[in-house]
Amino acid sequence: MTVLDDIIAGVREDLHARQREVSLEELKERVASVSPARDALSALRGPAASTVEIIAEVKRASPSKGDLSDIPEPAALAHEYEAGGAAAISVLTEGRRFKGSLADLDAVRSAVSIPLLRKDFTIDPYMIWEARAHGADLILLIVAALDDEQLREYLELTHRLGMNAIVETHTPEEIRRAADLGAKIIGVNVRNLKTLETDNTHFSSLVEHLPEGPVIVAESGVAGPEDVAAYASSGAQVVLVGEALVRNRDPREAVGDFKNSGRKARTGYLETAQNEDEHAE
């Protein structure tokens, strides 16, 4: 059994417990009364081609690193992220390995106005309804955890509820599956969820397989601004940052530093691409 298999087994068990407490019909009733989802796709695209947006994460722990930060007030942390210029906020809601909860999602939703990602291992349509009922604007769909029929069904439901999804990949085959699905946002996780091994150069090795059109998100492996710059110089338009922010004494300033570093690197990336196009002509 891989690490991903083990995590999903726990997610499924916890999901069944929540389903016994709150029915799908109750969730649908709640969804009907919540405010419409925010436009996460536009937020992640940013105001200009040279922009590199940051998804800032509320993350207490991880399977690879253990405890990261206590985070007694996730709403306060999220407020700092928003003030620093984050385009969206990711909230871990998986409880066993990440020590997150839907209560964290609720707290953050009440504190910020920018789009919110419910970061979890989506394995059932119930979790998509659940995300929207708790105010999420984005969900995560991990290609390695779902077959093509599930991916198509879940993405269609996500869009029907007015949300967007980051379709997460790790291999050329998974990128192809995401592209064939018509994913509008494709994430590349440099951490192998089956082994938890991380290789930041993995992003650049997959760039040639990424389609034009979707927003490209680099995930994991960020320790500082230089890592954001490295992803941006390889074509990332968005970088998701967790550990480096929750452990930072000034998360507001850190978000700004990450954005500035990414913008400079992406500007260089776009200039290089333009020069190559001109020479090709």
Side-chain angles (χ1 to χ4, degrees):
M1 177 180 285
T2 68
V3 175
L4 179 60
D5 292 333
D6 188 48
I7 292 174
I8 289 177
V11 168
R12 182 169 287 109
E13 188 174 327
D14 293 340
L15 167 62
H16 291 162
R18 296 198 305 276
Q19 288 174 317
R20 288 191 292 270
E21 294 178 2
V22 180
S23 71
L24 179 57
E25 290 307 312
E26 288 178 273
L27 281 181
K28 291 181 177 181
E29 290 177 5
R30 293 183 188 181
V31 167
S33 64
V34 300
S35 299
R38 291 157 178 78
D39 186 357
L41 183 62
S42 293
L44 296 183
R45 284 197 187 281
S50 60
T51 301
V52 171
E53 298 298 340
I54 300 297
I55 301 176
E57 196 155 75
V58 176
K59 182 179 185 180
R60 290 191 172 90
S62 76
S64 59
K65 297 290 185 67
D67 290 345
L68 300 175
S69 179
D70 186 36
I71 312 182
E73 297 183 24
L77 177 59
H79 176 74
E80 290 299 295
Y81 288 161
E82 182 175 30
I89 294 175
S90 168
V91 180
L92 268 299
T93 60
E94 196 279 335
R96 299 188 182 211
R97 300 294 191 98
F98 296 90
K99 298 186 177 180
S101 69
L102 286 167
D104 288 345
L105 193 68
D106 292 336
V108 172
R109 178 73 290 161
S110 68
V112 301
S113 60
I114 57 179
L116 193 58
L117 165 65
R118 190 249 177 117
K119 185 95 173 288
D120 212 317
F121 298 78
T122 307
I123 56 170
D124 190 278
Y126 180 96
M127 296 180 71
I128 302 173
W129 285 98
E130 194 175 48
R132 184 80 280 270
H134 286 267
D137 311 290
L138 272 164
I139 65 164
L140 184 71
L141 297 177
I142 301 173
V143 175
L146 303 166
D147 62 35
D148 287 346
E149 184 176 348
Q150 289 172 314
L151 283 168
R152 186 171 296 103
E153 175 190 353
Y154 295 0
L155 191 58
E156 287 176 355
L157 174 58
T158 300
H159 291 160
R160 195 162 76 243
L161 294 179
M163 295 189 292
N164 280 284
I166 297 177
V167 182
E168 181 179 294
T169 65
H170 183 72
T171 67
E173 168 63 14
E174 290 174 5
I175 290 173
R176 183 193 62 75
R177 291 175 61 198
D180 289 348
L181 186 70
K184 299 176 182 179
I185 307 170
I186 296 179
V188 175
N189 196 343
V190 303
R191 176 173 290 115
N192 185 336
L193 293 179
K194 296 179 180 179
T195 65
L196 298 186
E197 294 177 352
T198 301
D199 176 6
N200 285 29
T201 65
H202 190 64
F203 182 85
S204 60
S205 74
L206 293 177
V207 167
E208 63 180 299
H209 301 282
L210 292 167
E212 294 184 8
V215 172
I216 303 301
V217 183
E219 304 174 51
S220 300
V222 175
E226 65 280 0
D227 296 307
V228 176
Y231 289 144
S233 65
S234 294
Q237 298 158 273
V238 181
V239 180
L240 189 151
V241 187
E243 179 184 348
L245 286 175
V246 299
R247 286 183 162 172
N248 195 292
R249 293 183 178 181
D250 192 341
R252 179 188 300 202
E253 182 178 0
V255 170
D257 289 343
F258 289 152
K259 284 175 63 73
N260 289 335
S261 179
R263 176 181 52 77
K264 292 176 183 177
R266 182 158 175 81
T267 298
Y269 165 81
L270 293 173
E271 290 175 350
T272 299
Q274 182 178 2
N275 289 336
E276 290 177 350
D277 288 343
E278 291 174 353
H279 289 149
E281 293 175 358

Short mmCIF file of all heavy atoms in Angstrom, two decimals, residues 41-90:
data_model
loop_
_atom_site.label_atom_id
_atom_site.label_comp_id
_atom_site.label_asym_id
_atom_site.label_seq_id
_atom_site.Cartn_x
_atom_site.Cartn_y
_atom_site.Cartn_z
N LEU A 41 -10.67 31.26 -10.89
CA LEU A 41 -9.88 31.17 -12.12
C LEU A 41 -9.29 32.52 -12.48
O LEU A 41 -8.10 32.63 -12.78
CB LEU A 41 -10.75 30.64 -13.26
CG LEU A 41 -10.05 30.42 -14.61
CD1 LEU A 41 -8.95 29.37 -14.48
CD2 LEU A 41 -11.07 30.00 -15.67
N SER A 42 -10.09 33.56 -12.44
CA SER A 42 -9.60 34.90 -12.76
C SER A 42 -8.59 35.37 -11.72
O SER A 42 -7.59 36.01 -12.05
CB SER A 42 -10.77 35.90 -12.82
OG SER A 42 -11.61 35.60 -13.92
N ALA A 43 -8.84 35.03 -10.46
CA ALA A 43 -7.92 35.43 -9.39
C ALA A 43 -6.54 34.81 -9.60
O ALA A 43 -5.51 35.46 -9.39
CB ALA A 43 -8.49 35.02 -8.04
N LEU A 44 -6.51 33.56 -10.03
CA LEU A 44 -5.24 32.88 -10.23
C LEU A 44 -4.54 33.33 -11.52
O LEU A 44 -3.31 33.29 -11.60
CB LEU A 44 -5.44 31.37 -10.24
CG LEU A 44 -5.94 30.75 -8.93
CD1 LEU A 44 -6.01 29.24 -9.05
CD2 LEU A 44 -5.07 31.15 -7.75
N ARG A 45 -5.30 33.75 -12.50
CA ARG A 45 -4.68 34.26 -13.73
C ARG A 45 -3.96 35.57 -13.46
O ARG A 45 -2.97 35.90 -14.10
CB ARG A 45 -5.73 34.47 -14.82
CG ARG A 45 -6.20 33.19 -15.48
CD ARG A 45 -6.90 33.45 -16.79
NE ARG A 45 -7.50 32.26 -17.35
CZ ARG A 45 -6.84 31.32 -17.99
NH1 ARG A 45 -5.53 31.44 -18.16
NH2 ARG A 45 -7.46 30.26 -18.46
N GLY A 46 -4.47 36.33 -12.51
CA GLY A 46 -3.83 37.58 -12.14
C GLY A 46 -4.11 38.69 -13.13
O GLY A 46 -4.70 38.48 -14.19
N PRO A 47 -3.65 39.90 -12.80
CA PRO A 47 -3.95 41.06 -13.64
C PRO A 47 -3.07 41.19 -14.88
O PRO A 47 -3.37 41.96 -15.78
CB PRO A 47 -3.70 42.24 -12.68
CG PRO A 47 -2.65 41.72 -11.75
CD PRO A 47 -2.97 40.26 -11.55
N ALA A 48 -1.95 40.46 -14.93
CA ALA A 48 -1.03 40.58 -16.07
C ALA A 48 -0.31 39.26 -16.29
O ALA A 48 -0.20 38.44 -15.38
CB ALA A 48 -0.02 41.69 -15.81
N ALA A 49 0.20 39.07 -17.50
CA ALA A 49 0.90 37.83 -17.85
C ALA A 49 2.15 37.63 -17.00
O ALA A 49 2.56 36.49 -16.74
CB ALA A 49 1.28 37.83 -19.32
N SER A 50 2.75 38.73 -16.56
CA SER A 50 3.99 38.63 -15.78
C SER A 50 3.74 38.36 -14.30
O SER A 50 4.69 38.13 -13.54
CB SER A 50 4.80 39.93 -15.92
OG SER A 50 4.05 41.03 -15.45
N THR A 51 2.50 38.37 -13.89
CA THR A 51 2.17 38.14 -12.49
C THR A 51 2.35 36.68 -12.11
O THR A 51 1.99 35.78 -12.87
CB THR A 51 0.71 38.55 -12.20
OG1 THR A 51 0.53 39.93 -12.53
CG2 THR A 51 0.37 38.35 -10.73
N VAL A 52 2.91 36.43 -10.95
CA VAL A 52 2.90 35.10 -10.36
C VAL A 52 2.09 35.18 -9.08
O VAL A 52 2.45 35.91 -8.15
CB VAL A 52 4.33 34.59 -10.06
CG1 VAL A 52 4.28 33.30 -9.25
CG2 VAL A 52 5.08 34.34 -11.36
N GLU A 53 0.98 34.48 -9.06
CA GLU A 53 0.10 34.55 -7.91
C GLU A 53 0.47 33.48 -6.88
O GLU A 53 1.03 32.43 -7.22
CB GLU A 53 -1.36 34.38 -8.34
CG GLU A 53 -1.85 35.46 -9.28
CD GLU A 53 -1.83 36.86 -8.67
OE1 GLU A 53 -1.79 36.96 -7.42
OE2 GLU A 53 -1.84 37.84 -9.43
N ILE A 54 0.12 33.76 -5.64
CA ILE A 54 0.43 32.85 -4.54
C ILE A 54 -0.87 32.32 -3.92
O ILE A 54 -1.78 33.09 -3.59
CB ILE A 54 1.25 33.56 -3.44
CG1 ILE A 54 2.58 34.07 -4.00
CG2 ILE A 54 1.48 32.63 -2.25
CD1 ILE A 54 3.52 33.00 -4.50
N ILE A 55 -0.95 31.00 -3.80
CA ILE A 55 -1.99 30.38 -2.98
C ILE A 55 -1.33 30.09 -1.64
O ILE A 55 -0.40 29.29 -1.55
CB ILE A 55 -2.52 29.07 -3.59
CG1 ILE A 55 -3.10 29.32 -4.99
CG2 ILE A 55 -3.59 28.46 -2.68
CD1 ILE A 55 -3.55 28.04 -5.69
N ALA A 56 -1.78 30.78 -0.60
CA ALA A 56 -1.18 30.66 0.72
C ALA A 56 -1.98 29.66 1.55
O ALA A 56 -3.20 29.75 1.61
CB ALA A 56 -1.14 32.03 1.41
N GLU A 57 -1.27 28.76 2.20
CA GLU A 57 -1.94 27.62 2.83
C GLU A 57 -1.97 27.68 4.36
O GLU A 57 -0.98 28.02 5.01
CB GLU A 57 -1.23 26.34 2.39
CG GLU A 57 -2.02 25.08 2.65
CD GLU A 57 -1.60 23.98 1.70
OE1 GLU A 57 -0.52 23.40 1.89
OE2 GLU A 57 -2.36 23.71 0.76
N VAL A 58 -3.13 27.33 4.89
CA VAL A 58 -3.29 27.13 6.33
C VAL A 58 -3.08 25.64 6.57
O VAL A 58 -3.93 24.81 6.25
CB VAL A 58 -4.69 27.56 6.80
CG1 VAL A 58 -4.88 27.26 8.29
CG2 VAL A 58 -4.91 29.05 6.52
N LYS A 59 -1.94 25.32 7.14
CA LYS A 59 -1.49 23.92 7.20
C LYS A 59 -0.79 23.66 8.52
O LYS A 59 0.30 24.18 8.77
CB LYS A 59 -0.55 23.66 6.01
CG LYS A 59 -0.03 22.25 5.87
CD LYS A 59 0.85 22.17 4.63
CE LYS A 59 1.33 20.77 4.32
NZ LYS A 59 2.18 20.74 3.12
N ARG A 60 -1.38 22.83 9.35
CA ARG A 60 -0.81 22.56 10.67
C ARG A 60 0.25 21.45 10.67
O ARG A 60 1.18 21.47 11.46
CB ARG A 60 -1.92 22.15 11.65
CG ARG A 60 -2.88 23.26 12.03
CD ARG A 60 -3.75 22.82 13.20
NE ARG A 60 -4.53 23.94 13.70
CZ ARG A 60 -5.73 24.27 13.28
NH1 ARG A 60 -6.28 23.55 12.31
NH2 ARG A 60 -6.36 25.30 13.78
N ALA A 61 0.08 20.48 9.79
CA ALA A 61 0.97 19.32 9.78
C ALA A 61 0.95 18.68 8.40
O ALA A 61 0.13 19.02 7.55
CB ALA A 61 0.54 18.31 10.84
N SER A 62 1.88 17.75 8.18
CA SER A 62 1.90 16.98 6.93
C SER A 62 2.47 15.60 7.21
O SER A 62 3.18 15.40 8.19
CB SER A 62 2.75 17.70 5.88
OG SER A 62 4.12 17.53 6.15
N PRO A 63 2.15 14.64 6.34
CA PRO A 63 2.68 13.29 6.53
C PRO A 63 4.20 13.22 6.44
O PRO A 63 4.83 12.37 7.07
CB PRO A 63 2.02 12.48 5.40
CG PRO A 63 0.83 13.27 5.00
CD PRO A 63 1.21 14.70 5.22
N SER A 64 4.80 14.12 5.66
CA SER A 64 6.24 14.07 5.45
C SER A 64 7.03 14.81 6.53
O SER A 64 8.15 14.43 6.86
CB SER A 64 6.60 14.66 4.08
OG SER A 64 6.17 16.00 3.98
N LYS A 65 6.45 15.88 7.10
CA LYS A 65 7.18 16.71 8.05
C LYS A 65 6.63 16.66 9.47
O LYS A 65 7.25 17.18 10.39
CB LYS A 65 7.17 18.17 7.57
CG LYS A 65 7.86 18.41 6.23
CD LYS A 65 9.35 18.23 6.35
CE LYS A 65 10.06 18.59 5.05
NZ LYS A 65 9.98 20.01 4.71
N GLY A 66 5.46 16.05 9.66
CA GLY A 66 4.85 16.05 10.98
C GLY A 66 4.27 17.42 11.32
O GLY A 66 3.83 18.15 10.43
N ASP A 67 4.29 17.81 12.59
CA ASP A 67 3.75 19.09 13.01
C ASP A 67 4.55 20.24 12.42
O ASP A 67 5.79 20.24 12.46
CB ASP A 67 3.76 19.21 14.54
CG ASP A 67 2.75 18.27 15.20
OD1 ASP A 67 1.87 17.76 14.49
OD2 ASP A 67 2.85 18.07 16.42
N LEU A 68 3.83 21.23 11.87
CA LEU A 68 4.46 22.40 11.28
C LEU A 68 4.22 23.65 12.10
O LEU A 68 5.14 24.43 12.36
CB LEU A 68 3.93 22.62 9.85
CG LEU A 68 4.15 21.49 8.86
CD1 LEU A 68 3.45 21.81 7.54
CD2 LEU A 68 5.64 21.26 8.62
N SER A 69 2.95 23.84 12.50
CA SER A 69 2.59 25.05 13.26
C SER A 69 1.28 24.80 13.98
O SER A 69 0.39 24.12 13.46
CB SER A 69 2.45 26.25 12.31
OG SER A 69 2.09 27.41 12.99
N ASP A 70 1.15 25.37 15.15
CA ASP A 70 -0.06 25.16 15.95
C ASP A 70 -1.28 25.82 15.32
O ASP A 70 -2.37 25.26 15.27
CB ASP A 70 0.18 25.70 17.37
CG ASP A 70 -0.98 25.39 18.30
OD1 ASP A 70 -1.57 24.29 18.15
OD2 ASP A 70 -1.29 26.22 19.16
N ILE A 71 -1.13 27.04 14.84
CA ILE A 71 -2.19 27.85 14.21
C ILE A 71 -3.46 27.87 15.07
O ILE A 71 -4.50 27.32 14.68
CB ILE A 71 -2.52 27.37 12.78
CG1 ILE A 71 -1.24 27.15 11.98
CG2 ILE A 71 -3.42 28.39 12.07
CD1 ILE A 71 -1.45 26.73 10.54
N PRO A 72 -3.42 28.52 16.22
CA PRO A 72 -4.61 28.59 17.07
C PRO A 72 -5.74 29.41 16.45
O PRO A 72 -6.91 29.20 16.76
CB PRO A 72 -4.09 29.24 18.36
CG PRO A 72 -2.88 30.01 17.93
CD PRO A 72 -2.27 29.21 16.83
N GLU A 73 -5.38 30.36 15.57
CA GLU A 73 -6.39 31.22 14.94
C GLU A 73 -6.19 31.23 13.41
O GLU A 73 -5.54 32.12 12.87
CB GLU A 73 -6.31 32.64 15.48
CG GLU A 73 -6.61 32.74 16.97
CD GLU A 73 -6.59 34.18 17.46
OE1 GLU A 73 -6.79 35.09 16.63
OE2 GLU A 73 -6.36 34.38 18.65
N PRO A 74 -6.73 30.25 12.73
CA PRO A 74 -6.56 30.21 11.27
C PRO A 74 -7.10 31.44 10.57
O PRO A 74 -6.57 31.86 9.54
CB PRO A 74 -7.31 28.94 10.87
CG PRO A 74 -8.20 28.61 12.01
CD PRO A 74 -7.51 29.10 13.23
N ALA A 75 -8.14 32.05 11.13
CA ALA A 75 -8.71 33.25 10.51
C ALA A 75 -7.71 34.40 10.54
O ALA A 75 -7.58 35.16 9.56
CB ALA A 75 -9.99 33.65 11.24
N ALA A 76 -6.98 34.53 11.64
CA ALA A 76 -5.99 35.60 11.75
C ALA A 76 -4.85 35.39 10.76
O ALA A 76 -4.37 36.34 10.13
CB ALA A 76 -5.45 35.66 13.18
N LEU A 77 -4.41 34.14 10.61
CA LEU A 77 -3.36 33.84 9.65
C LEU A 77 -3.83 34.13 8.23
O LEU A 77 -3.11 34.73 7.43
CB LEU A 77 -2.94 32.38 9.78
CG LEU A 77 -1.88 31.88 8.79
CD1 LEU A 77 -0.59 32.68 8.92
CD2 LEU A 77 -1.62 30.39 9.00
N ALA A 78 -5.04 33.72 7.92
CA ALA A 78 -5.59 33.96 6.59
C ALA A 78 -5.70 35.45 6.30
O ALA A 78 -5.45 35.89 5.16
CB ALA A 78 -6.96 33.29 6.48
N HIS A 79 -6.06 36.22 7.30
CA HIS A 79 -6.14 37.68 7.11
C HIS A 79 -4.79 38.24 6.73
O HIS A 79 -4.68 39.13 5.87
CB HIS A 79 -6.65 38.33 8.40
CG HIS A 79 -6.68 39.82 8.34
ND1 HIS A 79 -7.63 40.52 7.63
CD2 HIS A 79 -5.86 40.77 8.89
CE1 HIS A 79 -7.41 41.82 7.74
NE2 HIS A 79 -6.34 41.99 8.49
N GLU A 80 -3.72 37.76 7.36
CA GLU A 80 -2.37 38.21 7.03
C GLU A 80 -2.01 37.83 5.60
O GLU A 80 -1.38 38.60 4.87
CB GLU A 80 -1.35 37.60 8.01
CG GLU A 80 -1.45 38.15 9.42
CD GLU A 80 -1.18 39.65 9.45
OE1 GLU A 80 -0.04 40.05 9.14
OE2 GLU A 80 -2.13 40.40 9.76
N TYR A 81 -2.38 36.62 5.20
CA TYR A 81 -2.13 36.19 3.82
C TYR A 81 -2.81 37.14 2.82
O TYR A 81 -2.20 37.55 1.83
CB TYR A 81 -2.69 34.79 3.60
CG TYR A 81 -1.92 33.66 4.25
CD1 TYR A 81 -2.55 32.42 4.44
CD2 TYR A 81 -0.60 33.79 4.66
CE1 TYR A 81 -1.87 31.34 5.02
CE2 TYR A 81 0.08 32.73 5.24
CZ TYR A 81 -0.56 31.51 5.42
OH TYR A 81 0.11 30.45 5.97
N GLU A 82 -4.07 37.42 3.08
CA GLU A 82 -4.81 38.28 2.16
C GLU A 82 -4.18 39.67 2.11
O GLU A 82 -4.01 40.26 1.03
CB GLU A 82 -6.27 38.39 2.59
CG GLU A 82 -7.11 39.25 1.66
CD GLU A 82 -8.59 39.27 2.03
OE1 GLU A 82 -8.90 39.13 3.23
OE2 GLU A 82 -9.42 39.41 1.11
N ALA A 83 -3.79 40.20 3.27
CA ALA A 83 -3.18 41.52 3.33
C ALA A 83 -1.84 41.54 2.59
O ALA A 83 -1.43 42.57 2.05
CB ALA A 83 -2.98 41.94 4.79
N GLY A 84 -1.17 40.39 2.55
CA GLY A 84 0.11 40.31 1.85
C GLY A 84 -0.01 40.18 0.34
O GLY A 84 0.99 40.28 -0.37
N GLY A 85 -1.23 39.96 -0.14
CA GLY A 85 -1.44 39.89 -1.58
C GLY A 85 -1.70 38.51 -2.14
O GLY A 85 -1.63 38.30 -3.36
N ALA A 86 -2.00 37.53 -1.28
CA ALA A 86 -2.31 36.19 -1.77
C ALA A 86 -3.54 36.25 -2.68
O ALA A 86 -4.49 36.99 -2.42
CB ALA A 86 -2.58 35.24 -0.61
N ALA A 87 -3.52 35.46 -3.75
CA ALA A 87 -4.65 35.42 -4.68
C ALA A 87 -5.75 34.53 -4.16
O ALA A 87 -6.93 34.72 -4.48
CB ALA A 87 -4.20 34.93 -6.05
N ALA A 88 -5.37 33.52 -3.39
CA ALA A 88 -6.33 32.56 -2.82
C ALA A 88 -5.70 31.95 -1.57
O ALA A 88 -4.49 32.01 -1.38
CB ALA A 88 -6.68 31.47 -3.83
N ILE A 89 -6.55 31.36 -0.76
CA ILE A 89 -6.07 30.70 0.45
C ILE A 89 -6.50 29.25 0.42
O ILE A 89 -7.65 28.93 0.11
CB ILE A 89 -6.60 31.40 1.71
CG1 ILE A 89 -6.00 32.80 1.80
CG2 ILE A 89 -6.26 30.60 2.97
CD1 ILE A 89 -6.54 33.64 2.92
N SER A 90 -5.57 28.38 0.72
CA SER A 90 -5.82 26.94 0.80
C SER A 90 -5.94 26.54 2.27
O SER A 90 -5.10 26.93 3.09
CB SER A 90 -4.67 26.18 0.13
OG SER A 90 -4.73 24.80 0.42
#
